[in-house]
Amino acid sequence: MAKVFKKTSGNGGLTLYLGKRDYVDHVDKVDRVDGVVKLDPADFGDRKVFVQLACAFRYGSDDLDVMGLCFRKDIWMQQTQLYPNGEKPALSAMHDTLLKKAGDNAHPFSFEIPNNLPCSVSLQPGPDDKGKACGVDFEIKTYLAKEKNNPDEKIEKKDTARLVIRKIQYAPSQVGAGPKADICKSFMMSDKPVHLEASMEKDLYFHGEAIPIKIKIKNESNKTVKKIKISVDQTTDIVLYSADKYTKCVLNQEFGETVDSNGSFDNTLTITPLLADNKEKRGLALDGRLKDEDTNLASTTISTLIEKEVLGILVSYKIKINLMVAGGGDVTLELPLNLMHPKPEGIFFTL
């Protein structure tokens, strides 16, 4: 383990240790969260030590909480008591490493993240927005309290230590065949149509990878195809109190190829959707990030196991191929697009 992440409470009595902050959703299961809390109980009094893992949807700044408003809704939460008489999990290699690092009076804990929870996603703030970004995050918190769940008990900030973690998905080991679609469109004042066919080599691409699209055009009409436009739309499905779905264009690229009447076109056009070209778009879904590190466009949600009643953010993409026809309107095709990260070596799973 190259690095240990730790956070100490303001009172110095609690120190939270984690060996990693990214936990992989393998579709059928999620990496177990193993951690340790080091205690200095001198000032605990009659209070107990708890640790919890919560998945929450944040839709407002922490600054607004002072107005008595809560802009954080818990989607899922699990708690356990560490001290005194805490539950002891089966120790893993991660626990052993963290216990050695923490030293005396360290207490291990474990959490299992359900595989039907959404992945960590943040919504890109506007240029003037301040505070934490809206989105779905996972947070581990250890704290002092007299009771496990007493809404009337105020837990002081100095009596807590917390670390944000991420639930992430990597591209499956096996990539499938790419999508293909075709359309035939007729126009007024023309006896014959325009044929458009588009296809991709595979069904999944990595962030930052060039995406070649094979395009075939057969123009049997008496009109001219002036140019080809390719766009990529990101659809964000936010399920909170009510479903809210919106679409933002993350790429809009024009190609100057023309196809005259009775002409044809058979070539490959390449696009690369990037966050760098969309930095000013407020509300764009991004992969969850820790602090202010760089991130990217949100990965496609692999939703084979996500249940409708689970709250969160689901992300999908589609490519639109649009032929601009002189005096005749447009010919449009759509292809689905999956954008994800490649899995690091040593992680294996398939869909």
Side-chain angles (χ1 to χ4, degrees), residues 223-269:
K223 301 181 182 298
T224 300
V225 176
K226 297 188 297 182
K227 57 187 171 183
I228 303 170
K229 184 169 75 172
I230 301 179
S231 60
V232 177
D233 286 345
Q234 179 196 77
T235 297
T236 304
D237 194 354
I238 299 178
V239 185
L240 194 56
Y241 296 107
S242 61
D244 181 19
K245 182 179 289 189
Y246 61 92
T247 299
K248 292 183 178 291
C249 180
V250 297
L251 181 142
N252 196 355
Q253 191 169 346
E254 292 187 354
F255 298 86
E257 284 81 355
T258 61
V259 184
D260 295 329
S261 176
N262 295 314
S264 62
F265 176 88
D266 188 346
N267 209 338
T268 298
L269 303 179

Side-chain angles (χ1 to χ4, degrees), residues 122-138:
S122 63
L123 301 181
Q124 182 163 260
D128 299 324
D129 292 340
K130 297 179 180 179
K132 292 183 180 179
C134 298
V136 172
D137 65 31
F138 289 77

Side-chain angles (χ1 to χ4, degrees), residues 170-179 200-207 209-211 300 302 336-343 351:
Y170 290 121
S173 302
Q174 297 177 354
V175 176
M200 293 154 63
E201 295 178 351
K202 52 186 182 176
D203 66 349
L204 187 147
Y205 289 85
F206 301 142
H207 292 287
E209 181 182 6
I211 302 171
T300 302
I302 300 178
L337 171 65
N338 292 314
L339 276 180
M340 298 190 76
H341 287 289
K343 61 174 177 40
L351 288 180

Side-chain angles (χ1 to χ4, degrees), residues 30 43 59 81 92 102 153 162 176 202 220 227 254-255 288:
V30 183
D43 298 323
Y59 51 103
Q81 181 175 319
S92 65
E153 182 178 5
R162 59 184 74 197
K202 52 186 182 176
E220 297 180 331
K227 57 187 171 183
E254 292 187 354
F255 298 86

Side-chain angles (χ1 to χ4, degrees), residues 30-309:
V30 183
D31 290 347
R32 192 173 76 166
V33 180
D34 291 336
V36 162
V37 178
K38 180 179 176 66
L39 310 181
D40 182 0
D43 298 323
F44 288 0
D46 59 350
R47 294 176 296 175
K48 304 177 179 68
V49 178
F50 300 94
V51 63
Q52 74 174 35
L53 171 59
C55 171
F57 188 100
R58 181 188 300 278
Y59 51 103
S61 169
D62 285 341
D63 298 339
L64 298 176
D65 287 345
V66 299
M67 301 166 59
L69 302 173
C70 181
F71 287 87
R72 179 183 171 91
K73 177 174 176 59
D74 288 328
I75 297 172
W76 173 87
M77 180 187 295
Q78 194 173 78
Q79 297 169 289
T80 186
Q81 181 175 319
L82 283 183
Y83 173 90
N85 305 317
E87 302 174 15
K88 289 183 171 58
L91 294 183
S92 65
M94 179 72 77
H95 281 133
D96 292 339
T97 301
L98 295 175
L99 287 168
K100 290 177 184 177
K101 185 76 174 178
D104 295 337
N105 214 6
H107 296 250
F109 65 85
S110 290
F111 290 112
E112 298 282 354
I113 302 176
N115 60 0
N116 62 351
L117 290 179
C119 288
S120 300
V121 176
S122 63
L123 301 181
Q124 182 163 260
D128 299 324
D129 292 340
K130 297 179 180 179
K132 292 183 180 179
C134 298
V136 172
D137 65 31
F138 289 77
E139 182 183 78
I140 297 178
K141 180 175 76 172
T142 183
Y143 60 95
L144 289 172
K146 292 184 178 181
E147 299 178 43
K148 187 174 183 179
N149 284 309
N150 182 355
D152 296 326
E153 182 178 5
K154 180 175 176 58
I155 299 173
E156 299 288 344
K157 190 173 182 180
K158 65 181 178 61
D159 294 330
T160 66
R162 59 184 74 197
L163 283 171
V164 173
I165 63 173
R166 290 187 294 202
K167 175 176 174 284
I168 58 178
Q169 286 181 326
Y170 290 121
S173 302
Q174 297 177 354
V175 176
K180 181 179 180 180
D182 60 80
I183 189 174
C184 180
K185 185 173 180 179
S186 298
F187 299 93
M188 292 180 63
M189 310 300 290
S190 179
D191 294 335
K192 293 185 178 181
V194 173
H195 301 266
L196 169 62
E197 179 184 298
S199 61
M200 293 154 63
E201 295 178 351
K202 52 186 182 176
D203 66 349
L204 187 147
Y205 289 85
F206 301 142
H207 292 287
E209 181 182 6
I211 302 171
I213 305 170
K214 187 171 181 58
I215 296 176
K216 294 182 180 180
I217 303 169
K218 187 176 182 182
N219 184 7
E220 297 180 331
S221 74
N222 58 9
K223 301 181 182 298
T224 300
V225 176
K226 297 188 297 182
K227 57 187 171 183
I228 303 170
K229 184 169 75 172
I230 301 179
S231 60
V232 177
D233 286 345
Q234 179 196 77
T235 297
T236 304
D237 194 354
I238 299 178
V239 185
L240 194 56
Y241 296 107
S242 61
D244 181 19
K245 182 179 289 189
Y246 61 92
T247 299
K248 292 183 178 291
C249 180
V250 297
L251 181 142
N252 196 355
Q253 191 169 346
E254 292 187 354
F255 298 86
E257 284 81 355
T258 61
V259 184
D260 295 329
S261 176
N262 295 314
S264 62
F265 176 88
D266 188 346
N267 209 338
T268 298
L269 303 179
T270 301
I271 60 170
T272 310
L274 296 169
L275 174 58
D277 301 325
N278 295 275
K279 286 288 191 180
E280 301 301 317
K281 290 184 179 174
R282 189 176 189 270
L284 196 66
L286 315 177
D287 274 342
R289 55 183 166 185
L290 305 172
K291 294 187 177 179
D292 295 323
E293 67 182 14
D294 289 336
T295 184
N296 44 263
L297 295 171
S299 297
T300 302
T301 306
I302 300 178
S303 56
T304 50
L305 292 177
I306 290 183
E307 301 170 2
K308 291 181 180 178
E309 63 266 25

